[in-house]
Amino acid sequence: MLWKTHIAFCAYTLVRRPVFDIVGRSLSSMAAKNPFIRDKAYIGGKWVSAKDGSSFEVKNPANGELIGSVPDMKAVDAEEAVKVAYDSFQTWKETIAKERQVILRRWDELVKKHKDDLAKLITLEMGKPVREALGEIAYAGSMIEWFAEEARRIYGDTIQAPTKSKRIVVIKQPIGVACMITPWNFPSAMITRKAAAALAAGCTIVLKPSEDTPFSALALAELAEQAGVPPGVFNVVTSSRASTPEVGKVMCTHPLSAGISFTGSTAVGKILMRHAADGVKHVAMELGGHAAFIVFNSADIDAAVNGAMVAKFRNAGQACVGANRFLVQSGVYDKFCDKLAQAMKDELKVGDGFQAGVTMGPLINERAVEKVEKHIKDAVDKGARVLLGGERHSRGGNFIVPTLISDVNTDMIVTQEETFGPLAPVIKFETEKEAVIIANAAKVGLASYFYTNDIPQAWRVAEALEVGMVGVNEGLVSTVETPFSGWKESGLGKEASKYGIEEYLQMKSIVFGGI
Ligand code: SIN
C-alpha cells in the first residue's frame, strides 16, 4: 500500500514537475527541486500551451541558469482568456460573500503551508535572499487574509429622497473581468494585492505576470485552484517581453474586459491608459516612484540610518517605494553619511540569495546594472564623491556593490530619475522649505520618508509632500492595512487597505418610485 502511494507520488511529480524544459534542456538543480515549476500557462482551469506552440526561457538572475520555459502567449491567447474569464464571471458574481471568504481563507492557508517553496521560487526568479522572500510571502498572504475578510464588508448606502414617493439606495457590484499586469520585483505580493481584492469583490481575473517571474504567478494560481477557486475565475497568461505589448493591448481594449490594473513603470502605465481610454475601462495604476528620504537636524540619526537601510536596500533597491534620493540637513550631514556608510558595510552582504548570510542578491538583469552605473558615472562626472562602492561586484553578472555618494546636486540624473538599484545619493540642504521644494520637484509622487523630532515640523512636512504615502520616522510604509497609492505620475487608484477592494466594485444607484 505504502509502495503504491509512493509510485503514485512519483508519477505525480514526473507529470507535474519538469526536470527538462519544453524543448528538453535540463533545468538548474534548484529549479528541478522546486515543486512549483510548470511549463504551461493556466486558462479555464487547464494547463495550456500558447496557440502557436511557442515558449520562452526564464533564467535565474544570480547565475544565468535555466529555471524553465513557459508559453509565449500572444493576443489570440489573451482574447481566449478574457472570454473564459467573462463566462466564469456569470457564475462567480452570483457567489455569496461568505463563500468567497472561505475560498480565500483556504488560499491563504495553502500559501502559508507552502511558504518555503514559494519563497525559494521568488529567489530563483528574481534573486532576493530567501529570508527576504519569506517576508514577501508573508506580505502576499496578508493580502489574501485581509481581502477574505473584506469580502464580507462590501457595504452600500441609503440616501434621503427628494420626494415622498421615492427611495434611493446604492449597491456595489463586481466590475467584471479584471485584467492585471504585475511586476517582477515582488512576484507574489503584487499579484495577491490585486487578485485577492478582485476575487473578494466577485470579479474574475486575467493575469499577465512579468516575463521574469511567471512561476510565482502560476504557483499562486495552482494554490488558488486547490483552495476552490473555480475554473476560469483566475487565469494566467504568460508572455515574453516581445509579446507583452499585444497582450496588454487586448487586456485594455477587449470588449469583455472591465479594466486593467497595472504595477510597473510610468511610461508603460501611460500606454495602457491610452489603450483603456477607448473603451472607458477601469484603470488602476501603481507606477514609478522617486522617493525623497529627508533627515532634519533634530532627527535621531541612528533611527534615520536604520530607516534608510530599509527604505533604500530592501529588495536591493528595486522597489517603487524605495528611497531614491537622500536630502540631509547641513547640521547632521556628515554624521548621517558616516553612519550610513558604516551600516552598509556591516549589514549588506552581496551574493546568491540561496547562500546563508546574504542580505542583498543580484539585480534583475544587465540593463538594471547599467542604469545604476550610468547614474553613478553621471553624478561623479558632475562632482559627486563616492563614499562606498561605486562599481560592479567581483562576482560579476548582475551583482553590484551597494553604493553611497555624497555632494550630490539636483543637476545629476540620479536626482531626477528612479534608479531602481542599491545607490544612495545624498544631497545637503539648509532649510525645511528647500527640502520640500526639492522633494516635490519630481513629476512622480509615490512615497516619501522623513526623520525629525520636531512635532510641528512633522505635521507641516507630512502635509506638504506631494506623495501618496509618507513615512514619518519610519522607513517602511507598506503593510496590508496602509492604502498603497501614488500622486501625480505615480498613478491612480488604491491597493491594499479597506480601499483596495473599491477598484473592483461598481457603484450603482437604484431609485424606487411610486411609493
Ligand atoms: C513596489 O511596488 O515596488 C513596492 C512594493 C511594496 O512595498 O508593496
Side-chain angles (χ1 to χ4, degrees):
M1 183 64 193
L2 262 179
W3 177 238
K4 273 190 190 161
T5 313
H6 178 68
I7 291 177
F9 177 72
C10 291
Y12 169 83
T13 47
L14 283 175
V15 172
R16 305 300 301 275
R17 188 201 301 171
V19 266
F20 299 101
D21 82 337
I22 296 169
V23 289
R25 278 161 298 216
S26 65
L27 308 185
S28 78
S29 59
M30 276 299 184
K33 273 192 237 154
N34 197 294
F36 286 114
I37 303 295
R38 297 285 170 266
D39 57 10
K40 301 272 190 294
Y42 182 73
I43 298 175
K46 298 196 179 77
W47 295 92
V48 292
S49 303
K51 286 191 191 302
D52 66 5
S54 62
S55 62
F56 65 98
E57 294 180 347
V58 183
K59 292 190 171 155
N60 181 339
N63 52 27
E65 285 177 6
L66 183 65
I67 305 174
S69 297
V70 289
D72 185 5
M73 294 190 143
K74 311 288 181 334
V76 65
D77 301 285
E79 282 163 9
E80 163 87 12
V82 173
K83 279 189 215 128
V84 164
Y86 186 76
D87 289 345
S88 307
F89 177 61
Q90 307 316 315
T91 43
W92 183 246
K93 71 179 179 186
E94 299 299 340
T95 53
I96 55 171
K98 189 165 177 184
E99 288 175 68
R100 299 197 296 277
Q101 180 195 38
V102 168
I103 291 173
L104 284 166
R105 272 199 189 149
R106 278 204 296 260
W107 191 23
D108 176 39
E109 280 158 19
L110 287 165
V111 167
K112 287 194 172 86
K113 181 172 160 196
H114 294 282
K115 67 180 185 340
D116 291 322
D117 286 325
L118 292 172
K120 286 180 193 156
L121 203 53
I122 291 179
T123 303
L124 266 174
E125 289 188 293
M126 61 71 63
K128 73 176 74 171
V130 174
R131 195 156 160 253
E132 200 173 344
L134 276 166
E136 179 180 340
I137 292 299
Y139 185 39
S142 74
M143 300 292 167
I144 307 176
E145 181 188 44
W146 177 271
F147 286 111
E149 291 161 1
E150 290 302 290
R152 299 186 71 183
R153 299 195 178 91
I154 300 169
Y155 296 110
D157 215 346
T158 59
I159 295 177
Q160 293 302 312
T163 66
K164 277 195 173 170
S165 64
K166 288 187 178 171
R167 301 289 183 274
I168 305 171
V169 293
V170 173
I171 62 166
K172 289 186 183 168
Q173 294 177 297
I175 59 172
V177 177
C179 294
M180 1 191 117
I181 302 180
T182 52
W184 52 265
N185 61 340
F186 289 86
S188 292
M190 296 303 99
I191 291 175
T192 57
R193 194 158 76 185
K194 296 179 194 301
L199 294 175
C203 293
T204 53
I205 294 170
V206 178
L207 165 68
K208 209 281 318 159
S210 164
E211 65 278 9
D212 294 312
T213 57
F215 298 111
S216 290
L218 295 167
L220 287 169
E222 180 165 345
L223 295 177
E225 177 190 279
Q226 286 177 24
V229 172
V233 169
F234 188 164
N235 306 282
V236 183
V237 171
T238 52
S239 300
S240 66
R241 195 175 173 82
S243 308
T244 293
E246 63 181 274
V247 167
K249 190 167 179 191
V250 169
M251 292 175 138
C252 296
T253 56
H254 195 288
L256 301 179
S257 160
I260 179 87
S261 175
F262 170 67
T263 296
S265 72
T266 297
V268 172
K270 288 180 184 179
I271 295 170
L272 296 173
M273 285 173 77
R274 279 186 211 112
H275 288 323
D278 231 19
V280 197
K281 308 286 190 188
H282 291 262
V283 288
M285 296 280 143
E286 296 297 345
L287 308 178
H290 185 38
F293 187 110
I294 309 170
V295 184
F296 289 103
N297 283 340
S298 72
D300 173 337
I301 298 303
D302 289 328
V305 168
N306 285 339
M309 290 298 290
V310 178
K312 179 68 250 182
F313 297 106
R314 170 179 179 238
N315 220 31
Q318 303 172 113
C320 306
V321 288
N324 211 61
R325 38 200 179 130
F326 288 85
L327 314 180
V328 182
Q329 204 160 12
S330 54
V332 292
Y333 187 84
D334 292 337
K335 189 171 170 192
F336 177 80
C337 288
D338 289 349
K339 289 201 166 201
L340 183 57
Q342 193 57 50
M344 288 168 65
K345 275 188 217 150
D346 294 344
E347 294 171 30
L348 299 176
K349 180 164 180 234
V350 177
D352 187 316
F354 283 106
Q355 271 169 12
V358 163
T359 56
M360 205 182 97
L363 298 194
I364 188 68
N365 53 34
E366 172 69 19
R367 279 194 312 278
V369 179
E370 282 169 4
K371 187 170 191 191
V372 178
E373 285 182 322
K374 180 181 129 190
H375 283 194
I376 296 171
K377 181 172 183 319
D378 172 78
V380 170
D381 287 350
K382 291 175 181 161
R385 269 194 316 134
V386 177
L387 300 184
L388 201 68
E391 71 260 316
R392 283 189 187 226
H393 195 271
S394 54
R395 292 182 67 107
N398 298 329
F399 292 92
I400 189 154
V401 181
T403 298
L404 177 63
I405 53 176
S406 68
D407 299 3
V408 171
N409 65 51
T410 52
D411 290 337
M412 299 172 182
I413 300 175
V414 70
T415 66
Q416 297 154 12
E417 275 181 13
E418 189 176 24
T419 309
F420 230 62
L423 167 61
V426 194
I427 304 172
K428 191 186 280 184
F429 71 88
E430 296 297 335
T431 66
E432 176 185 311
K433 189 168 171 210
E434 188 191 347
V436 170
I437 288 172
I438 296 172
N440 285 345
K443 277 191 186 166
V444 290
L446 191 59
S448 221
Y449 310 84
F450 68 90
Y451 278 70
T452 180
N453 275 329
D454 172 342
I455 293 172
Q457 179 174 60
W459 276 107
R460 280 194 307 273
V461 176
E463 287 175 358
L465 290 169
E466 294 168 356
V467 292
M469 293 163 279
V470 183
V472 184
N473 296 330
E474 176 57 58
L476 181 67
V477 291
S478 311
T479 71
V480 66
E481 296 83 0
T482 311
F484 194 101
S485 69
W487 266 29
K488 305 198 280 190
E489 294 192 14
S490 282
L492 293 171
K494 307 271 178 290
E495 289 195 339
S497 79
K498 68 174 181 173
Y499 302 104
I501 199 166
E502 298 292 334
E503 300 300 327
Y504 302 97
L505 291 168
Q506 177 71 53
M507 193 188 268
K508 183 186 281 177
S509 303
I510 307 179
V511 181
F512 290 81
I515 297 165

